[in-house]
Amino acid sequence: MAQNGPRAGKRAVLRAAVRPLVTAVALMLLAACGTNVPRLDDAPLNTYATPVGYKGIRYWGDAELKKLNEVSAVRLEQVREAHRKDPSVPLERAYYLAISGGGGDGAYGAGLLAGWTLSGTRPQFEIVTGISTGALTAPYAFLGPNYDGRLKEIYTTISEKDVLRSSGPLGALFGASLTDNSPLKALVAKHVTADLVDLIGAENAKGRKLLVGTTNLDAQRPVVWDMTAIAASGNPDRVQLFRDVLVASAAIPGVFPPQLIRVQADGKSYEELHVDGGTTTQAFLLSGENSLKDVDKALNFPRKRSLYVIINGTFAPQAEKTETKTLAIAARSISTLIKNQSIGDVFKMYAQAVRDGVDFNLASIPADFQDKGKGEFDQAHMRKLYDLGYQKGQGPGAWSKTPPDYDS
């Protein structure tokens, strides 16, 4: 053993010297396999960028909409015309729905909507917004009760294999994410058909809006996409862009790969990196810089408004033993961050609602629901959540008028 000591030491030194070189070569080879696409990394350009072939289909979610009064005036005329043709379309009242992220917990919101339909009190929403899993729910919530069955199918029959698959060790180390979201893309393509997009586009002329949030990771800002405008654009690639935005909104950073979206700025083409809208906000309706009360004053047409917020999660802390491993600690930390971000977003929406005289309604997974799934998309767990939402949605007890612990 003593004679092998010096040789073993030399081999160890050699391995230590060669390892960084091997790693560097591997990284260069992986980079050479990728595409060299120009990225939009100049902040001023980001303000003027727009997807190729489109105009006015998105805006920053954290900035004042300077043309809000103008846009609202056009929408009001569209609603008036829709009301003239069909008196059942609300004119003096407006109902809004915001659906949060939450992964497989989106089954609760899907069940809640179906139960709400059964109660006979579910209104037609003028505006529906969605983030992450809420973005996948939002198109069907927007189209109405006839699509409750589609939501039930999606949230009670899928499993993890229908949403993601492992990227493998190399993909996890050197790729954009831990998993491959090809199954999710296939699932979205299966359900988001050209016919579905056309149905959503037809509502654009009636003043109704379907809005989906993503996060522009390069700009570190939320982006709100007007999906009804995309659907009504007549652009040949409108169906693909519609799907890409939904996939981007559900692209949990590090878990799913980000979605690259081709844009133009100052006559040049670039690609933007978009990820989960939940990275910047868990639920939304309007930037805090804007006021619906100011819109009413500007248009001299006050409307009674009701906002319904579905949080696909619970606000109560849920004790759980966390393994002392890197990924487990990171996952638990992110879930804790999201829970507290949800609370902050709900309080912000509530404050805006009070300021603008909007009737506020909040639903979330009850704190006493203790079932824990075996994964993010555990089918049995999702079915239980759907059934719970379905039960809650049939009665008024599903909705709270204030954020959690507001009175205390």
Side-chain angles (χ1 to χ4, degrees):
M1 293 295 294
Q3 292 180 346
N4 291 334
R7 289 184 181 181
K10 289 179 181 179
R11 285 198 295 269
V13 171
L14 182 61
R15 282 197 300 269
V18 170
R19 190 178 295 116
L21 179 62
V22 172
T23 301
V25 171
L27 286 171
M28 287 188 290
L29 288 173
L30 285 166
C33 294
T35 57
N36 186 22
V37 179
R39 293 280 300 287
L40 187 55
D41 56 4
D42 189 331
L45 282 176
N46 270 299
T47 305
Y48 310 106
T50 185
V52 179
Y54 294 90
K55 185 178 181 181
I57 62 165
R58 66 179 191 168
Y59 53 89
W60 294 117
D62 58 354
E64 178 186 6
L65 302 181
K66 297 186 181 299
K67 294 185 178 181
L68 180 62
N69 289 349
E70 178 184 326
V71 171
S72 297
V74 172
R75 284 191 54 248
L76 181 57
E77 284 307 310
Q78 291 173 326
V79 173
R80 278 177 169 152
E81 180 61 25
H83 178 75
R84 279 192 289 267
K85 292 179 179 178
D86 179 4
S88 69
V89 174
L91 176 59
E92 295 183 352
R93 292 220 55 158
Y95 297 94
Y96 306 143
L97 174 66
I99 312 173
S100 82
D105 287 352
Y108 180 78
L112 183 73
L113 287 168
W116 197 359
T117 297
L118 190 65
S119 75
T121 61
R122 175 177 166 182
Q124 181 186 77
F125 297 106
E126 191 170 302
I127 297 177
V128 176
T129 73
I131 290 282
S132 196
T133 194
L136 302 179
T137 303
Y140 304 107
F142 179 78
L143 289 175
N146 288 340
Y147 288 83
D148 288 350
R150 190 75 62 85
L151 278 175
K152 181 178 181 180
E153 176 189 348
I154 292 172
Y155 281 101
T156 63
T157 65
I158 67 168
S159 59
E160 199 159 284
K161 65 180 178 61
D162 299 304
V163 181
L164 55 87
R165 62 173 174 238
S166 174
S167 294
L170 283 179
L173 285 173
F174 303 116
S177 63
L178 294 171
T179 68
D180 174 8
N181 67 348
S182 296
L184 175 62
K185 288 185 175 181
L187 186 68
V188 170
K190 173 185 174 183
H191 290 282
V192 180
T193 63
D195 288 342
L196 185 87
V197 171
D198 288 343
L199 285 172
I200 290 170
E203 298 301 302
N204 190 58
K206 302 175 185 177
R208 299 183 66 214
K209 289 294 177 184
L210 170 63
L211 307 175
V212 165
T214 66
T215 297
N216 183 321
L217 203 55
D218 295 318
Q220 287 192 321
R221 298 181 70 182
V223 177
V224 175
W225 297 81
D226 186 341
M227 307 299 278
T228 31
I230 293 173
S233 68
N235 195 302
D237 76 340
R238 66 190 184 282
V239 175
Q240 189 57 54
L241 180 59
F242 197 103
R243 293 169 177 170
D244 287 347
V245 172
L246 294 183
V247 170
S249 186
I252 304 169
V255 178
F256 288 149
Q259 182 69 43
L260 287 167
I261 295 179
R262 184 66 62 94
V263 298
Q264 283 185 332
D266 296 342
K268 298 179 181 179
S269 293
Y270 300 88
E271 282 189 329
E272 293 176 343
L273 201 66
H274 285 259
V275 298
D276 191 346
T279 307
T280 44
T281 185
Q282 290 300 308
F284 74 97
L285 177 64
L286 192 67
S287 167
E289 302 294 321
N290 291 110
S291 169
L292 292 170
K293 184 179 289 186
D294 291 344
V295 170
D296 288 345
K297 289 179 181 178
L299 301 182
N300 194 29
F301 190 80
R303 306 179 75 195
K304 294 181 179 179
R305 296 181 171 89
S306 293
L307 168 62
Y308 292 87
V309 182
I310 298 177
I311 298 295
N312 289 304
T314 178
F315 294 114
Q318 293 176 305
E320 182 179 308
K321 183 178 179 180
T322 304
E323 294 183 58
T324 53
K325 295 181 180 179
T326 302
L327 290 179
I329 293 171
R332 183 65 170 170
S333 299
I334 291 171
S335 68
T336 303
L337 175 65
I338 289 172
K339 183 187 292 290
N340 286 278
Q341 184 187 34
S342 296
I343 296 173
D345 288 336
V346 165
F347 267 88
K348 180 173 68 176
M349 296 177 78
Y350 177 73
Q352 290 176 234
V354 171
R355 177 195 65 188
D356 293 337
V358 176
D359 172 45
F360 180 86
N361 304 272
L362 172 67
S364 62
I365 298 175
D368 59 2
F369 180 75
Q370 296 296 321
D371 184 79
K372 295 179 181 179
K374 297 178 181 178
E376 184 63 43
F377 299 94
D378 177 13
Q379 193 175 104
H381 176 71
M382 291 167 68
R383 285 177 175 170
K384 290 178 183 178
L385 274 173
Y386 179 91
D387 290 341
L388 177 63
Y390 185 70
Q391 175 192 347
K392 290 287 185 180
Q394 296 176 46
W399 303 100
S400 171
K401 289 294 183 181
T402 58
D405 299 326
Y406 177 78
D407 294 333
S408 61

